[in-house]
Amino acid sequence: MARNIKSNFIYSFVYQILVVLLPLLTSPYLSRILGPNGLGVYSYTFSLATFFALFGMLGVNNYGNRTIATVQNDINERSRAFWNIWSLQVFMTIVTLIFYGIYLIAYCPVEYKLVSFIQIITIICSMLDINWFFFGMEQFKIIVTRNLIIRLVNVLMIFLLVKDRDDVWLYATIMVSGTLLSNVIVWSFLKKYVVFVRPRFKEQRLHFKPNAVLFVPVIAITLYKQLDKVMLGFLSTMEQVGYFVNAEKIISIPMGIITSLGVVMLPRISFLSAKGKEKEVFRYLSLSMEFVCFMSAAMTFGIAGISKEFAPVFFGQEFHFVGSLIMLISPTIVFISWANVIRTQYLMPKHKDKSYIVSVLLGAIINIIMNIVLIPRYGAMGAVIGTLCAEATVMIYQSNCVKNEVKIRKYVKNGIYYFLAGFVMFIGIRFIAQFGGPNIKTIILEILIGALIYIVLCLPYVLLKHKKVINNYVNNTKGF
């Protein structure tokens, strides 16, 4: 059941952008209404609930995606795989709910108890989440169209109902309700792709071990994604959580593009690897590497360049400190982009799970150590430094693991030009900033001039490098 990679990438890109862009549209409003403390409380409780929910999901997002992709052409095999994997997901989520209930009763601070109670729905959502099945089937349109409508409604409800700093609980209710509705609706599409097969304990056991193996990197990644906010809440203040969250939101926008590529290519590469089409695998890998170098260089230097003017205008003067956080954390775009391609287009399709697991465990350990040392003294800035070190570690380790099989040096050499062009763009943006203050006009001018510099520098290089491909395309399309 081959799918068009270009259209799937577009759908996946739209999906990932929806995940980060629509909440970002509400950020200027929420930052001013809820303030750093309110945003911090929501992010702290959500991160903690997400941490619990992950134990219900185990590694199913990656394992389920990969498993369904390999049997996508056989309805009986994919039906059996789906029902056994999902029943395991349900069992683990119920166990997780029990432990979260214990936390609420015995350990949750009184001032966060209401919002933490609402976040129970976050864990229930993980039990109903079967997006992994449709990703494995390469049916991205279903996920995108459903989420577009629901997330737009979410945005509307936030603007209509959240009115003051005591409405953190209301904001949490709107967010979790949207996710719950989204996960429920997708079940109506399932009957077209599977028939019911009674789950069997023996088959669940077969899925449990590889699922649990892939859960190790999931939990490790969470330790330096969600745990940053939890540790900030414990070791610093809720205001610092709010600062860090807003900086992270800006960085998450470009990561939507990279994540889109990985989500699309994982089932496609898994399918090609299962068929023994290695030449195709490495062709896609090479194209993906160049694409992420081009995009991540532009986004890293572009976001860093405008950050000081952008933060106070977008989030409000209370969040002017976020500009420095954004500039410092922006290199993680490069680290995550590079590692994402290696992980989703080589390590996971090739079942090299050990290398992936070790890399993220190293990243998690480094991040936790850095957080413990730096957060009490530097707050959100300490968390940013920990994140930088963690992501760099993951990228370096994964690259080292595949250096004998993948042309890492070639990819680095090809990407250097893009990063030099990005640096020149950064210098140009900061030069413009000297003549304008933190206002919308300055930001727009920085974006336009920065984009122009990058395109002018990169376009000749891209055309020259891919001249042969472009000429073949032109010749093949003559006469149409």
Side-chain angles (χ1 to χ4, degrees):
M1 188 182 292
R3 300 287 171 195
N4 186 298
I5 291 178
K6 290 182 181 179
S7 63
N8 278 341
F9 171 71
I10 292 171
Y11 283 126
S12 180
F13 169 71
V14 172
Y15 172 73
Q16 296 298 333
I17 289 300
L18 281 174
V19 170
V20 295
L21 185 57
L22 290 183
L24 187 65
L25 292 177
T26 62
S27 290
Y29 178 76
L30 290 170
S31 295
R32 290 166 172 82
I33 296 297
L34 300 181
N37 185 75
L39 281 180
V41 170
Y42 170 77
S43 299
Y44 173 80
T45 57
F46 175 73
S47 297
L48 203 57
T50 300
F51 190 76
F52 276 90
L54 283 172
F55 284 88
M57 291 292 288
L58 286 178
V60 74
N61 280 326
N62 288 325
Y63 174 75
N65 184 334
R66 184 174 72 185
T67 301
I68 297 300
T70 58
V71 295
Q72 61 180 231
N73 292 334
D74 187 328
I75 188 171
N76 293 319
E77 286 296 318
R78 70 173 181 251
S79 296
R80 191 162 76 245
F82 169 77
W83 288 111
N84 281 287
I85 293 172
W86 182 70
S87 60
L88 180 63
Q89 182 180 330
V90 171
F91 172 76
M92 292 303 301
T93 304
I94 291 172
V95 173
T96 301
L97 278 168
I98 294 171
F99 281 99
Y100 188 75
I102 294 172
Y103 159 75
L104 281 178
I105 295 170
Y107 301 104
C108 181
V110 175
E111 60 268 34
Y112 311 142
K113 188 155 284 188
L114 175 59
V115 182
S116 296
F117 181 80
I118 293 169
Q119 298 289 6
I120 287 177
I121 301 174
T122 299
I123 303 175
I124 296 173
C125 288
S126 70
M127 180 171 63
L128 299 173
D129 185 356
I130 56 170
N131 288 330
W132 52 268
F133 173 80
F134 292 96
F135 287 149
M137 290 295 295
E138 301 183 67
Q139 292 289 340
F140 295 90
K141 184 178 180 180
I142 292 173
I143 306 299
V144 173
T145 52
R146 172 204 62 179
N147 273 284
L148 175 61
I149 298 171
I150 292 174
R151 290 183 181 275
L152 285 173
V153 171
N154 260 22
V155 170
L156 180 63
M157 296 297 287
I158 288 169
F159 285 122
L160 289 176
L161 300 178
V162 180
K163 296 297 183 183
D164 58 53
R165 300 205 168 193
D166 294 326
D167 287 342
V168 178
W169 69 271
L170 190 54
Y171 173 51
T173 302
I174 292 170
M175 297 303 291
V176 295
S177 298
T179 305
L180 180 63
L181 182 60
S182 177
N183 287 349
V184 168
I185 288 176
V186 78
W187 280 83
S188 63
F189 299 97
L190 185 67
K191 60 184 178 181
K192 181 179 177 181
Y193 300 97
V194 300
V195 294
F196 179 73
V197 175
R198 184 177 179 181
R200 298 183 180 278
F201 180 70
K202 183 178 179 180
E203 293 192 36
Q204 288 177 331
R205 284 175 52 196
L206 294 175
H207 288 296
F208 180 79
K209 184 177 179 180
N211 207 337
V213 167
L214 285 179
F215 175 60
V216 175
V218 170
I219 199 67
I221 289 173
T222 303
L223 287 175
Y224 64 86
K225 294 291 186 183
Q226 301 295 341
L227 202 61
D228 279 334
K229 294 179 273 291
V230 176
M231 293 183 74
L232 272 170
F234 274 117
L235 300 175
S236 188
T237 64
M238 287 299 165
E239 285 80 5
Q240 292 294 317
V241 178
Y243 296 145
F244 181 81
V245 167
N246 274 348
E248 201 175 45
K249 282 180 182 178
I250 300 302
I251 298 301
S252 66
I253 299 173
M255 291 319 306
I257 300 174
I258 308 304
T259 303
S260 302
L261 182 66
V263 170
V264 170
M265 295 308 296
L266 173 58
R268 178 59 13 201
I269 298 296
S270 297
F271 181 79
L272 292 172
S273 294
K275 297 296 182 181
K277 298 182 178 181
E278 294 301 306
K279 187 176 180 180
E280 286 287 287
V281 169
F282 283 101
R283 185 173 72 86
Y284 282 129
L285 183 62
S286 180
L287 290 171
S288 297
M289 276 296 190
E290 180 151 10
F291 173 76
V292 298
C293 285
F294 173 79
M295 295 301 297
S296 64
M299 294 169 180
T300 296
F301 289 104
I303 288 175
I306 70 171
S307 60
K308 291 292 185 72
E309 292 71 45
F310 178 83
V313 171
F314 192 75
F315 296 115
Q317 284 299 325
E318 280 187 283
F319 292 86
H320 71 276
F321 176 61
V322 173
S324 298
L325 297 179
I326 294 172
M327 183 177 288
L328 183 61
I329 202 174
S330 60
T332 59
I333 298 172
V334 175
F335 303 152
I336 296 172
S337 301
W338 185 278
N340 183 274
V341 173
I342 293 175
R343 178 176 72 252
T344 61
Q345 297 188 43
Y346 194 80
L347 292 179
M348 293 184 65
K350 295 290 185 180
H351 294 260
K352 295 180 180 291
D353 299 332
K354 182 179 178 181
S355 298
Y356 173 38
I357 291 169
V358 173
S359 70
V360 294
L361 280 175
L362 285 174
I365 291 169
I366 287 174
N367 192 56
I368 291 172
I369 293 172
M370 298 290 283
N371 282 350
I372 292 172
V373 173
L374 298 176
I375 285 178
R377 185 172 181 180
Y378 299 106
M381 189 67 76
V384 165
I385 295 171
T387 298
L388 274 172
C389 294
E391 297 295 359
T393 300
V394 173
M395 180 196 71
I396 293 169
Y397 185 86
Q398 289 185 2
S399 298
N400 187 64
C401 287
V402 302
K403 66 181 181 181
N404 294 326
E405 304 155 64
V406 178
K407 299 176 181 179
I408 295 295
R409 288 186 179 180
K410 177 185 175 182
Y411 300 146
V412 172
K413 183 179 178 181
N414 290 343
I416 288 175
Y417 185 88
Y418 297 122
F419 293 106
L420 290 174
F423 181 71
V424 174
M425 174 181 65
F426 174 81
I427 297 298
I429 292 173
R430 295 318 302 159
F431 178 78
I432 294 169
Q434 301 302 312
F435 301 97
N439 55 68
I440 294 176
K441 289 182 180 179
T442 301
I443 295 170
I444 293 174
L445 187 61
E446 288 175 339
I447 293 172
L448 292 177
I449 298 299
L452 181 62
I453 292 172
Y454 192 73
I455 291 171
V456 168
L457 290 175
C458 289
L459 189 59
Y461 175 75
V462 172
L463 292 176
L464 183 63
K465 186 176 180 182
H466 297 284
K467 183 178 180 180
K468 184 177 179 180
V469 176
I470 294 170
N471 287 338
N472 288 338
Y473 176 79
V474 172
N475 290 333
N476 290 334
T477 54
K478 283 181 178 180
F480 285 91

Short mmCIF file of all heavy atoms in Angstrom, two decimals, residues 32-76:
data_model
loop_
_atom_site.label_atom_id
_atom_site.label_comp_id
_atom_site.label_asym_id
_atom_site.label_seq_id
_atom_site.Cartn_x
_atom_site.Cartn_y
_atom_site.Cartn_z
N ARG A 32 -0.44 37.31 28.76
CA ARG A 32 -0.90 38.55 29.41
C ARG A 32 -2.02 38.29 30.41
O ARG A 32 -2.12 38.97 31.43
CB ARG A 32 -1.35 39.56 28.34
CG ARG A 32 -0.17 40.11 27.52
CD ARG A 32 -0.64 40.82 26.27
NE ARG A 32 0.46 41.51 25.58
CZ ARG A 32 1.30 40.91 24.75
NH1 ARG A 32 1.19 39.61 24.52
NH2 ARG A 32 2.27 41.60 24.17
N ILE A 33 -2.89 37.32 30.12
CA ILE A 33 -4.02 37.03 31.01
C ILE A 33 -3.58 36.21 32.23
O ILE A 33 -3.89 36.55 33.37
CB ILE A 33 -5.13 36.28 30.25
CG1 ILE A 33 -5.73 37.16 29.15
CG2 ILE A 33 -6.24 35.82 31.22
CD1 ILE A 33 -6.41 38.42 29.64
N LEU A 34 -2.86 35.10 31.99
CA LEU A 34 -2.48 34.21 33.08
C LEU A 34 -1.17 34.62 33.76
O LEU A 34 -0.96 34.30 34.93
CB LEU A 34 -2.35 32.77 32.57
CG LEU A 34 -3.61 32.15 31.95
CD1 LEU A 34 -3.33 30.72 31.50
CD2 LEU A 34 -4.79 32.18 32.93
N GLY A 35 -0.28 35.30 33.01
CA GLY A 35 1.00 35.72 33.56
C GLY A 35 1.97 34.54 33.67
O GLY A 35 1.60 33.39 33.45
N PRO A 36 3.23 34.83 34.01
CA PRO A 36 4.23 33.76 34.12
C PRO A 36 3.85 32.68 35.12
O PRO A 36 4.07 31.49 34.89
CB PRO A 36 5.50 34.52 34.57
CG PRO A 36 5.29 35.92 34.12
CD PRO A 36 3.82 36.17 34.22
N ASN A 37 3.26 33.06 36.25
CA ASN A 37 2.90 32.08 37.28
C ASN A 37 1.78 31.16 36.81
O ASN A 37 1.86 29.93 36.98
CB ASN A 37 2.47 32.79 38.56
CG ASN A 37 2.22 31.82 39.69
OD1 ASN A 37 3.16 31.29 40.28
ND2 ASN A 37 0.95 31.58 40.02
N GLY A 38 0.74 31.72 36.20
CA GLY A 38 -0.37 30.90 35.71
C GLY A 38 0.07 29.93 34.63
O GLY A 38 -0.31 28.74 34.64
N LEU A 39 0.86 30.42 33.68
CA LEU A 39 1.40 29.53 32.65
C LEU A 39 2.28 28.46 33.25
O LEU A 39 2.28 27.31 32.81
CB LEU A 39 2.21 30.33 31.62
CG LEU A 39 1.43 31.10 30.55
CD1 LEU A 39 2.41 31.84 29.64
CD2 LEU A 39 0.55 30.17 29.73
N GLY A 40 3.03 28.85 34.28
CA GLY A 40 3.91 27.89 34.94
C GLY A 40 3.12 26.78 35.62
O GLY A 40 3.49 25.61 35.53
N VAL A 41 2.03 27.13 36.30
CA VAL A 41 1.20 26.13 36.98
C VAL A 41 0.61 25.15 35.97
O VAL A 41 0.65 23.92 36.18
CB VAL A 41 0.07 26.80 37.78
CG1 VAL A 41 -0.94 25.77 38.27
CG2 VAL A 41 0.64 27.58 38.95
N TYR A 42 0.07 25.68 34.86
CA TYR A 42 -0.49 24.79 33.85
C TYR A 42 0.58 23.86 33.27
O TYR A 42 0.37 22.64 33.17
CB TYR A 42 -1.14 25.59 32.71
CG TYR A 42 -1.50 24.69 31.55
CD1 TYR A 42 -2.63 23.88 31.59
CD2 TYR A 42 -0.68 24.61 30.42
CE1 TYR A 42 -2.95 23.03 30.55
CE2 TYR A 42 -0.98 23.75 29.37
CZ TYR A 42 -2.12 22.96 29.44
OH TYR A 42 -2.41 22.09 28.42
N SER A 43 1.71 24.42 32.90
CA SER A 43 2.77 23.63 32.28
C SER A 43 3.34 22.59 33.23
O SER A 43 3.65 21.46 32.84
CB SER A 43 3.90 24.55 31.78
OG SER A 43 3.41 25.45 30.82
N TYR A 44 3.46 22.96 34.50
CA TYR A 44 3.97 22.03 35.51
C TYR A 44 3.03 20.83 35.66
O TYR A 44 3.46 19.68 35.64
CB TYR A 44 4.12 22.78 36.83
CG TYR A 44 4.48 21.91 38.02
CD1 TYR A 44 5.78 21.49 38.22
CD2 TYR A 44 3.50 21.51 38.93
CE1 TYR A 44 6.12 20.68 39.32
CE2 TYR A 44 3.82 20.71 40.02
CZ TYR A 44 5.12 20.31 40.21
OH TYR A 44 5.44 19.51 41.28
N THR A 45 1.74 21.10 35.83
CA THR A 45 0.77 20.01 36.04
C THR A 45 0.60 19.16 34.78
O THR A 45 0.48 17.94 34.85
CB THR A 45 -0.60 20.56 36.47
OG1 THR A 45 -1.07 21.51 35.48
CG2 THR A 45 -0.50 21.26 37.81
N PHE A 46 0.61 19.81 33.62
CA PHE A 46 0.49 19.07 32.36
C PHE A 46 1.70 18.18 32.14
O PHE A 46 1.57 17.03 31.72
CB PHE A 46 0.32 20.05 31.19
CG PHE A 46 0.32 19.37 29.85
CD1 PHE A 46 -0.78 18.63 29.43
CD2 PHE A 46 1.41 19.46 29.00
CE1 PHE A 46 -0.79 17.99 28.19
CE2 PHE A 46 1.42 18.83 27.77
CZ PHE A 46 0.31 18.09 27.36
N SER A 47 2.89 18.70 32.42
CA SER A 47 4.11 17.91 32.23
C SER A 47 4.12 16.70 33.14
O SER A 47 4.52 15.61 32.73
CB SER A 47 5.34 18.78 32.51
OG SER A 47 5.43 19.84 31.59
N LEU A 48 3.67 16.88 34.37
CA LEU A 48 3.63 15.76 35.32
C LEU A 48 2.61 14.70 34.86
O LEU A 48 2.90 13.49 34.89
CB LEU A 48 3.26 16.28 36.71
CG LEU A 48 3.69 15.43 37.90
CD1 LEU A 48 5.20 15.20 37.89
CD2 LEU A 48 3.28 16.09 39.20
N ALA A 49 1.43 15.14 34.41
CA ALA A 49 0.42 14.20 33.92
C ALA A 49 0.91 13.48 32.66
O ALA A 49 0.68 12.28 32.48
CB ALA A 49 -0.89 14.94 33.62
N THR A 50 1.60 14.21 31.79
CA THR A 50 2.16 13.62 30.57
C THR A 50 3.18 12.55 30.91
O THR A 50 3.26 11.50 30.26
CB THR A 50 2.82 14.70 29.69
OG1 THR A 50 1.84 15.67 29.33
CG2 THR A 50 3.42 14.10 28.43
N PHE A 51 3.96 12.81 31.95
CA PHE A 51 4.96 11.85 32.40
C PHE A 51 4.28 10.54 32.81
O PHE A 51 4.73 9.45 32.45
CB PHE A 51 5.75 12.44 33.56
CG PHE A 51 6.96 11.64 33.95
CD1 PHE A 51 8.10 11.69 33.18
CD2 PHE A 51 6.94 10.85 35.08
CE1 PHE A 51 9.22 10.95 33.54
CE2 PHE A 51 8.06 10.12 35.44
CZ PHE A 51 9.20 10.16 34.67
N PHE A 52 3.17 10.63 33.55
CA PHE A 52 2.41 9.44 33.93
C PHE A 52 1.81 8.76 32.69
O PHE A 52 1.83 7.54 32.57
CB PHE A 52 1.30 9.82 34.91
CG PHE A 52 1.73 9.92 36.34
CD1 PHE A 52 2.19 11.10 36.87
CD2 PHE A 52 1.67 8.82 37.18
CE1 PHE A 52 2.60 11.21 38.20
CE2 PHE A 52 2.07 8.89 38.51
CZ PHE A 52 2.53 10.10 39.02
N ALA A 53 1.25 9.58 31.80
CA ALA A 53 0.58 9.03 30.61
C ALA A 53 1.52 8.21 29.74
O ALA A 53 1.11 7.24 29.09
CB ALA A 53 -0.03 10.17 29.79
N LEU A 54 2.78 8.58 29.73
CA LEU A 54 3.75 7.87 28.90
C LEU A 54 3.89 6.42 29.31
O LEU A 54 4.16 5.55 28.47
CB LEU A 54 5.12 8.55 28.99
CG LEU A 54 5.26 9.83 28.18
CD1 LEU A 54 6.58 10.52 28.50
CD2 LEU A 54 5.20 9.53 26.69
N PHE A 55 3.70 6.13 30.59
CA PHE A 55 3.79 4.75 31.05
C PHE A 55 2.63 3.92 30.50
O PHE A 55 2.74 2.70 30.35
CB PHE A 55 3.83 4.68 32.57
CG PHE A 55 5.15 5.06 33.15
CD1 PHE A 55 5.44 6.39 33.46
CD2 PHE A 55 6.13 4.10 33.38
CE1 PHE A 55 6.68 6.75 33.98
CE2 PHE A 55 7.36 4.45 33.89
CZ PHE A 55 7.64 5.78 34.20
N GLY A 56 1.52 4.58 30.22
CA GLY A 56 0.41 3.88 29.59
C GLY A 56 0.67 3.60 28.12
O GLY A 56 0.31 2.55 27.58
N MET A 57 1.33 4.54 27.46
CA MET A 57 1.61 4.40 26.03
C MET A 57 2.82 3.50 25.77
O MET A 57 2.97 2.95 24.68
CB MET A 57 1.88 5.78 25.42
CG MET A 57 0.67 6.68 25.35
SD MET A 57 -0.57 6.11 24.18
CE MET A 57 0.24 6.45 22.61
N LEU A 58 3.71 3.36 26.76
CA LEU A 58 4.98 2.66 26.56
C LEU A 58 5.67 3.26 25.33
O LEU A 58 5.73 4.46 25.17
CB LEU A 58 4.77 1.16 26.42
CG LEU A 58 4.43 0.40 27.72
CD1 LEU A 58 4.20 -1.08 27.43
CD2 LEU A 58 5.50 0.57 28.77
N GLY A 59 6.16 2.41 24.43
CA GLY A 59 6.81 2.93 23.22
C GLY A 59 5.94 2.76 22.00
O GLY A 59 6.44 2.62 20.88
N VAL A 60 4.60 2.76 22.21
CA VAL A 60 3.68 2.37 21.15
C VAL A 60 3.68 3.32 19.96
O VAL A 60 3.42 2.90 18.83
CB VAL A 60 2.25 2.18 21.71
CG1 VAL A 60 1.61 3.52 22.01
CG2 VAL A 60 1.39 1.38 20.75
N ASN A 61 3.96 4.60 20.17
CA ASN A 61 3.95 5.53 19.04
C ASN A 61 4.96 5.14 17.97
O ASN A 61 4.67 5.21 16.77
CB ASN A 61 4.21 6.97 19.52
CG ASN A 61 2.97 7.60 20.11
OD1 ASN A 61 1.86 7.34 19.66
ND2 ASN A 61 3.15 8.43 21.12
N ASN A 62 6.14 4.73 18.40
CA ASN A 62 7.15 4.28 17.44
C ASN A 62 7.00 2.81 17.09
O ASN A 62 7.05 2.43 15.92
CB ASN A 62 8.55 4.52 18.01
CG ASN A 62 8.92 5.99 18.02
OD1 ASN A 62 8.54 6.74 17.12
ND2 ASN A 62 9.65 6.43 19.02
N TYR A 63 6.78 1.97 18.11
CA TYR A 63 6.67 0.53 17.86
C TYR A 63 5.43 0.20 17.05
O TYR A 63 5.48 -0.58 16.09
CB TYR A 63 6.65 -0.24 19.19
CG TYR A 63 6.40 -1.72 19.00
CD1 TYR A 63 7.41 -2.54 18.52
CD2 TYR A 63 5.16 -2.27 19.27
CE1 TYR A 63 7.19 -3.90 18.32
CE2 TYR A 63 4.92 -3.62 19.08
CZ TYR A 63 5.93 -4.43 18.60
OH TYR A 63 5.70 -5.77 18.39
N GLY A 64 4.28 0.79 17.44
CA GLY A 64 3.04 0.53 16.72
C GLY A 64 3.10 1.01 15.29
O GLY A 64 2.68 0.32 14.36
N ASN A 65 3.65 2.22 15.09
CA ASN A 65 3.84 2.78 13.75
C ASN A 65 4.66 1.83 12.89
O ASN A 65 4.27 1.46 11.77
CB ASN A 65 4.55 4.14 13.90
CG ASN A 65 4.72 4.87 12.58
OD1 ASN A 65 4.78 4.29 11.52
ND2 ASN A 65 4.84 6.18 12.67
N ARG A 66 5.79 1.39 13.41
CA ARG A 66 6.70 0.51 12.66
C ARG A 66 6.06 -0.85 12.39
O ARG A 66 6.19 -1.40 11.29
CB ARG A 66 8.00 0.34 13.45
CG ARG A 66 9.06 -0.47 12.73
CD ARG A 66 10.36 -0.47 13.53
NE ARG A 66 10.27 -1.29 14.73
CZ ARG A 66 11.24 -1.37 15.64
NH1 ARG A 66 12.35 -0.67 15.47
NH2 ARG A 66 11.10 -2.13 16.70
N THR A 67 5.38 -1.40 13.39
CA THR A 67 4.77 -2.72 13.23
C THR A 67 3.66 -2.70 12.19
O THR A 67 3.59 -3.58 11.32
CB THR A 67 4.21 -3.21 14.59
OG1 THR A 67 5.27 -3.26 15.54
CG2 THR A 67 3.59 -4.60 14.44
N ILE A 68 2.77 -1.72 12.27
CA ILE A 68 1.67 -1.62 11.31
C ILE A 68 2.21 -1.38 9.90
O ILE A 68 1.69 -1.91 8.91
CB ILE A 68 0.69 -0.50 11.71
CG1 ILE A 68 0.02 -0.82 13.05
CG2 ILE A 68 -0.37 -0.29 10.63
CD1 ILE A 68 -0.78 -2.11 13.08
N ALA A 69 3.28 -0.59 9.78
CA ALA A 69 3.86 -0.29 8.46
C ALA A 69 4.34 -1.55 7.75
O ALA A 69 4.21 -1.68 6.53
CB ALA A 69 5.03 0.68 8.61
N THR A 70 4.86 -2.51 8.52
CA THR A 70 5.40 -3.73 7.90
C THR A 70 4.30 -4.70 7.45
O THR A 70 4.57 -5.58 6.64
CB THR A 70 6.35 -4.45 8.87
OG1 THR A 70 5.63 -4.78 10.07
CG2 THR A 70 7.54 -3.57 9.22
N VAL A 71 3.07 -4.54 7.97
CA VAL A 71 1.97 -5.44 7.59
C VAL A 71 0.80 -4.66 7.01
O VAL A 71 -0.34 -5.14 7.01
CB VAL A 71 1.50 -6.29 8.80
CG1 VAL A 71 2.59 -7.22 9.27
CG2 VAL A 71 1.03 -5.38 9.96
N GLN A 72 1.07 -3.46 6.49
CA GLN A 72 -0.03 -2.59 6.06
C GLN A 72 -0.83 -3.15 4.88
O GLN A 72 -1.96 -2.73 4.65
CB GLN A 72 0.51 -1.20 5.71
CG GLN A 72 1.52 -1.17 4.58
CD GLN A 72 2.02 0.23 4.27
OE1 GLN A 72 1.99 0.64 3.12
NE2 GLN A 72 2.47 0.96 5.27
N ASN A 73 -0.28 -4.11 4.14
CA ASN A 73 -0.99 -4.66 2.98
C ASN A 73 -1.81 -5.91 3.30
O ASN A 73 -2.44 -6.49 2.42
CB ASN A 73 0.01 -5.00 1.87
CG ASN A 73 0.63 -3.76 1.26
OD1 ASN A 73 0.05 -2.69 1.29
ND2 ASN A 73 1.83 -3.90 0.71
N ASP A 74 -1.78 -6.35 4.57
CA ASP A 74 -2.48 -7.57 4.97
C ASP A 74 -3.47 -7.23 6.08
O ASP A 74 -3.08 -6.98 7.22
CB ASP A 74 -1.47 -8.61 5.45
CG ASP A 74 -2.09 -9.97 5.73
OD1 ASP A 74 -3.27 -10.01 6.13
OD2 ASP A 74 -1.40 -10.99 5.54
N ILE A 75 -4.76 -7.20 5.76
CA ILE A 75 -5.77 -6.76 6.73
C ILE A 75 -5.84 -7.66 7.95
O ILE A 75 -6.06 -7.20 9.07
CB ILE A 75 -7.16 -6.64 6.06
CG1 ILE A 75 -8.15 -6.00 7.05
CG2 ILE A 75 -7.65 -8.01 5.56
CD1 ILE A 75 -9.48 -5.64 6.44
N ASN A 76 -5.63 -8.96 7.77
CA ASN A 76 -5.70 -9.88 8.91
C ASN A 76 -4.52 -9.67 9.86
O ASN A 76 -4.70 -9.63 11.08
CB ASN A 76 -5.74 -11.33 8.41
CG ASN A 76 -7.03 -11.64 7.67
OD1 ASN A 76 -8.12 -11.23 8.07
ND2 ASN A 76 -6.92 -12.36 6.56
#
